[in-house]
Structures are given as structure tokens and as C-alpha cells.
Amino acid sequence: MLMPHLAEAKKRTKNKVMIKKYEIKDEFKKLGLGKTYFIKTYGCQMNVHDSENIKAILEQMGFKEVSSMDQADLVLLNTCAIRENAHNKVFGMIGRLKHMKEEKPNIITGICGCMAQEEVVVNEILDKYRFLDIVFGTHNINELPMILAKAMHQNKIEVDVKTIEGDIIENMPVKRDSKYKAWVNIMYGCDKFCTYCIVPYTRGKQRSRRFEDIINEVESLKKDGYKEVTLLGQNVNAYGKDLGLDYDMSDLLEGVANTGIERVRFVTSHPWDFTDKMIEVIGKYPNIMPYIHLPLQSGSDRILKLMGRKYTKESYLELFDKIKKTVPNASITTDIIVGFPGETEEDFLETLDVVNRCKYDSAFTFIFSPREGTPAAKMKDDTPLSVKEERLHRLNETVNKYALEANQKYLGKVVSVLLENVSEKDEGMLAGYTDTMKLVNVKAPKDMLGKIVDVKITDVKTWSMDGEIA
Ligand code: 5AD
Ligand code: SF4
């Protein structure tokens, strides 16, 4: 049993990050033969991509994917710890797994991902949910074959969570959800320690992948017919800083753009490390998509300071204007937290003021959720939930107004869309995203899937648009 430790997770080691190659031992390759698996994924794109790796590992072991939990011999929950509601959803699902296990005692059940990295969560599992078979974390996905083998040979829960980040593992197998667009990790972990955020504890210290490994992955994706890559990291702008070399995110963006892949995206940017050179590179290369997710979190300098965000309202607005000036067609979206401990009406009005000035293309908005072990969870918070909810409501009304306005500018225009899947609502429609990350439903035959096409926008709503092939 290897348990996560909160106090250790807060520390940053000086350990040199080693780069290792993934390997699976032959003895594990037949363990899953004749068995099926189902993974439910919560949280961000990082987790979605981790699940793609987990799926491929399971398939190397002989397991086959099924589309519903009830048919599966192995059920894994890849969890998210970012807010209380993600946490609660997972515990709800664990309750469901318990019933399944009672009916079918031979199924294997487990949790992984960010919640598995939390000491409180694993303690609760050991206390109340010992029926689970495996718990493993974000740092040892590559050890899954061994962990599963152990669990399959014993009659008790196998907890295997490393607190201190592991090495960078190259050559991980991957079963991608899409044939047209791919997630590419460029870095792991985060060293920013925003006071509300649990990620630096669940994902460990910042570790950048080597430049050449990233470029090789993008080149091989291009060869395989992929049209779009999204470079992934908790804070991509800080790419390379931990390597102590003389290249940074702007060089990486340039390198990836020069592979000639048709579309390059990246998430998430922290306003702190957004350099002028990065903005220039985004403006210069037509295959770097004019879409930037730029989390604001708050518009109040006082709250930003308490959050540990290292920028002010003014410097954020300056950066925003610089991006819009160099990349005029850029669509910019954001994340905002309301009800941070001590947030007053005046503080909140500063946030609304930034939204009114930036007129974001869209925004993800949240009520502050205290996370065990983070500094903000200990701050005095005397704003009633009803006040926070009312602020969220006002914020959402403002955000939605600008989202619709931003979309209205597209009416009648011709835009390029990567057609990715069949629309959920209508079989005769394909859905995809513009370069600026607007969701468009297009009347088009299925053989156009995977193509980047010109689409004339015929109708706009707040969260999507309709169009026809131009
Ligand atoms: N409470 C509420 N929202 C949070 N986020 C991160 N941590 C918390 C928290 N404790 C939000 C931030 C971040 C997004 C991914 O989730 O806005 O940008
Ligand atoms: Fe959730 Fe953050 Fe973990 Fe992503 S990195 S799954 S958002 S806690």
C-alpha cells in the first residue's frame, strides 16, 4: 500500500526529472483477455488525455472497451479534484459501483486521477469503500499493468499512489478518441500555487517534455492524418522554464507550427508568463489558431493578490489589448471565480468591469470551492452562499450577453470549420469548430468528416451556430 501525503505533496524536490520509455512486461499482456473495460472521465483535457493512455494500456493487456458501465468487467473512474461538486459526483458514482459489485462480485473497480492523489479522499475510501479494487494516481499511470496484476491476485484493495511526481514517461501507448484532433502533453504539473488551487498538489512539480519529443509526436500525428493538435499543460506559457535551456513556449509554438500541421491550439495560459514573443508568434503563423483561453479569476487587485495570481487588473487588461492588437481576429475566453474568501461587492464589481471591457467570447464561471490543504481553504470566508450565487447569476448574465454578441458578428460570414463528428441532435448534421473555437452545426454528408471546410454561418445562438457548406 502506497498512500498519498498532503504535507509531502506541498514540497518541491530538486530531484532531476528523468526521461524514461514506457514498457509493458509480457507477463501482463494476457491478463485482460476475454474481459471488457469502461472508463468514466471527469475534469479537464489533461484527464481526458490520461484516459486515452489508460485505455491503450488496458488494450495491451487484452481488455476490450465497452460503451456502458453495466457491461464492463473493469470499471475505472478517472477523477477530478478541482471543486467540491466534481468530488461529490465521484463519490455518488462510487456508491453505484458498490451496488454493481454486490451483484457481480467478480468485476474490478477502481479510481485514479486527481482525487486519488488526495490524502483525505484515500482515507475516506479506506474507511468506507474498501470494496474498491484499485486506487492509483496521476504519477504512475505507466505502472497500471503491475497494479492491476496485484489486485487480480489478492482479495483486498490495492492502493498505489505516489506523492512525489515521477519521471517523464515517453512512448506511452494512446487510444485517441478522435481521428482528426489530438491532445499532446507538453508539460506536467504546476508550480504556480494559486492559493485556491489543488492542482500543484495533485499533479506535482512542473516538468516540461523535451522539445524534440513533442515535435516528433506532432509530426507523426500529421503523418497519420491528424488535422489539429492541442498542446496541453496546466500552464503552457511556462513551458521550458524548468529545463534551464534557452527555448520557451514561443519557440515551441513556432516549432510545432513549422511541422505544417493544419491547426495548432494550446491550453491553458496563465497571464503571468504570456510574453510579447508568444503573441507575435501566434499572430505570425496562420496555422496557430486565433483562440486564447486567458483565465482572469478576479478583476479586483486585492483578491488577485490573495489568490497569488501575480498580476493586476491593469496589467491583465494591457495584455488583453496587446493580444487583440497583434491578433485582431482572436477569440478570447476566460475562467472566473466568484465568492473567493473576503470578496466584497466592490471587488465583484471590479470583476464585472473587466468582463464589460473585455467582452469575452465566453467564460467558465465558478463559485469558490475550498480545497483541503490549499491556503485559501483556511482564509476567513463570511460571505453567505446566497450572495455568492447571486453574484454568479449576475456574472453569467453579463458573460452570456457578450457571448451572443460575439457570435452575432459571424452571421452571414464564411468561416473554416474542422468537421469532427455527427451532431448529437440531428443525424444529417456534422459538428465542428471554427479556428476561433466556435461550435458550428453544418448540414453536410458524413463523408466530409475530418475535413476542414468553408462554412457560411446562417444562424447564431449563445453557445453554437448553424451553417452550410459555402
Ligand atoms: N474553486 C472554484 N474554482 C476553482 N478553479 C480552480 N480551483 C478552484 C476552486 N478551488 C477554477 C479556476 C480555474 C478553473 C480550471 O477552475 O477558475 O481556472
Ligand atoms: Fe481536475 Fe485539475 Fe486534475 Fe484537471 S488537473 S482533473 S482540472 S484537478
Side-chain angles (χ1 to χ4, degrees):
M1 170 122 57
L2 191 57
M3 287 285 294
H5 284 286
L6 176 62
E8 289 295 309
K10 288 184 176 178
K11 293 182 190 155
R12 284 298 178 261
T13 67
K14 294 254 181 317
N15 300 351
K16 187 168 161 43
V17 176
M18 307 296 282
I19 294 166
K20 293 192 178 147
K21 278 203 164 165
Y22 170 85
E23 269 172 336
I24 176 166
K25 290 202 183 115
D26 286 339
E27 60 186 281
F28 299 135
K29 284 188 183 159
K30 292 196 174 114
L31 273 181
L33 281 180
K35 293 194 169 70
T36 56
Y37 75 90
F38 179 80
I39 304 181
K40 179 142 182 71
T41 308
Y42 300 82
C44 64
Q45 291 97 334
M46 194 69 71
N47 254 22
V48 170
H49 187 43
D50 284 350
S51 285
E52 293 183 332
N53 291 134
I54 294 170
K55 287 179 188 180
I57 294 175
L58 292 175
E59 301 205 354
Q60 286 184 332
M61 297 177 74
F63 288 93
K64 291 238 158 12
E65 187 172 14
V66 284
S67 58
S68 98
M69 212 160 107
D70 307 322
Q71 304 162 17
D73 302 309
L74 163 66
V75 181
L76 273 183
L77 309 181
N78 189 6
T79 63
C80 170
I82 200 108
R83 280 174 295 274
E84 187 70 29
N85 59 355
H87 171 112
N88 291 345
K89 270 192 217 157
V90 168
F91 273 102
M93 196 54 104
I94 293 178
R96 226 177 110 185
L97 289 184
K98 190 165 184 211
H99 289 297
M100 281 180 64
K101 187 93 179 177
E102 280 159 6
E103 279 170 24
K104 293 193 279 178
N106 288 335
I107 59 168
I108 307 166
T109 54
I111 79 154
C112 59
C114 286
M115 275 171 69
Q117 292 292 145
E118 288 185 279
E119 194 177 324
V120 273
V121 168
V122 179
N123 280 332
E124 187 170 347
I125 286 172
L126 289 179
D127 208 25
K128 296 194 203 138
Y129 305 98
R130 277 189 173 261
F131 75 90
L132 287 168
D133 299 281
I134 55 172
V135 179
F136 64 100
T138 59
H139 298 314
N140 57 348
I141 291 172
N142 58 310
E143 293 172 354
L144 177 58
M146 194 192 62
I147 297 168
L148 256 177
K150 253 201 229 168
M152 287 162 95
H153 290 114
Q154 70 190 18
N155 215 352
K156 61 175 178 42
I157 183 166
E158 174 63 28
V159 177
D160 223 321
V161 182
K162 286 184 173 162
T163 297
I164 302 298
E165 63 285 335
D167 301 310
I168 289 185
I169 311 291
E170 291 296 340
N171 277 39
M172 284 278 271
V174 54
K175 183 187 181 196
R176 297 192 186 271
D177 294 338
S178 165
K179 284 188 285 192
Y180 319 119
K181 59 176 198 178
W183 309 111
V184 175
N185 278 127
I186 64 167
M187 63 198 301
Y188 305 92
C190 178
D191 289 340
K192 288 285 188 261
F193 289 98
C194 300
T195 58
Y196 51 81
C197 187
I198 197 157
V199 173
Y201 315 110
T202 63
R203 293 266 172 187
K205 81 171 172 190
Q206 175 176 323
R207 289 103 67 210
S208 298
R209 274 179 84 194
R210 281 187 306 214
F211 189 89
E212 57 273 26
D213 291 332
I214 299 167
I215 300 293
N216 286 344
E217 184 172 348
V218 174
E219 273 172 350
S220 88
L221 285 164
K222 187 182 165 218
K223 232 181 265 152
D224 290 342
Y226 280 85
K227 298 284 164 62
E228 180 177 304
V229 292
T230 301
L231 309 179
L232 283 184
Q234 300 301 343
N235 171 25
V236 291
N237 305 18
Y239 170 77
K241 284 192 163 184
D242 52 299
L243 294 174
L245 298 170
D246 56 357
Y247 53 79
D248 61 14
M249 184 58 179
S250 61
D251 300 304
L252 180 68
L253 274 176
E254 215 160 6
V256 174
N258 280 328
T259 63
I261 190 131
E262 286 184 72
R263 290 177 151 201
V264 180
R265 301 188 187 278
F266 55 95
V267 281
T268 290
S269 292
H270 189 305
W272 189 354
D273 294 310
F274 219 115
T275 61
D276 290 356
K277 201 165 151 225
M278 246 183 93
I279 304 175
E280 270 166 40
V281 169
I282 297 165
K284 179 171 157 197
Y285 288 88
N287 58 342
I288 300 179
M289 297 297 96
Y291 164 71
I292 292 157
H293 186 62
L294 195 67
L296 167 69
Q297 312 301 4
S298 169
S300 151
D301 287 347
R302 198 178 67 80
I303 297 294
L304 284 170
K305 198 156 187 197
L306 287 173
M307 288 176 161
R309 292 290 287 177
K310 308 273 160 64
Y311 54 85
T312 59
K313 176 183 179 187
E314 194 189 324
S315 67
Y316 180 95
L317 288 170
E318 233 172 70
L319 173 64
F320 186 96
D321 290 341
K322 228 189 273 174
I323 295 172
K324 283 275 177 181
K325 207 168 137 205
T326 313
V327 194
N329 59 337
S331 97
I332 302 184
T333 58
T334 200
D335 289 341
I336 296 169
I337 298 175
V338 300
F340 188 82
E343 183 190 72
T344 62
E345 175 66 15
E346 286 70 43
D347 292 318
F348 174 67
L349 289 177
E350 293 283 350
T351 300
L352 270 190
D353 184 47
V354 177
V355 174
N356 281 316
R357 291 211 215 171
C358 293
K359 303 181 171 56
Y360 293 105
D361 283 79
S362 91
F364 299 98
T365 56
F366 315 101
I367 290 180
F368 168 73
S369 171
R371 308 314 294 135
E372 169 102 16
T374 61
K378 293 192 210 86
M379 293 178 189
K380 186 160 168 263
D381 184 5
D382 46 17
T383 313
L385 182 61
S386 57
V387 173
K388 295 187 181 192
E389 283 170 346
E390 189 271 335
R391 281 183 198 155
L392 183 70
H393 180 73
R394 267 191 287 162
L395 175 63
N396 285 344
E397 298 227 298
T398 313
V399 163
N400 295 354
K401 180 178 85 178
Y402 292 121
L404 180 61
E405 269 181 25
N407 280 1
Q408 275 162 344
K409 292 193 189 123
Y410 285 72
L411 198 60
K413 293 233 167 81
V414 174
V415 291
S416 83
V417 176
L418 167 56
L419 298 171
E420 297 173 11
N421 37 36
V422 179
S423 158
E424 279 169 24
K425 287 188 210 118
D426 182 346
E427 277 275 305
M429 304 277 274
L430 301 184
Y433 289 88
T434 64
D435 53 352
T436 52
M437 205 65 175
K438 306 280 182 187
L439 176 62
V440 187
N441 292 302
V442 188
K443 203 172 209 78
K446 287 203 178 96
D447 61 3
M448 291 192 95
L449 272 176
K451 300 212 159 70
I452 297 175
V453 293
D454 284 341
V455 171
K456 186 169 181 198
I457 301 300
T458 52
D459 191 18
V460 298
K461 297 158 205 146
T462 307
W463 305 121
S464 69
M465 310 179 186
D466 293 334
E468 55 196 30
I469 304 287

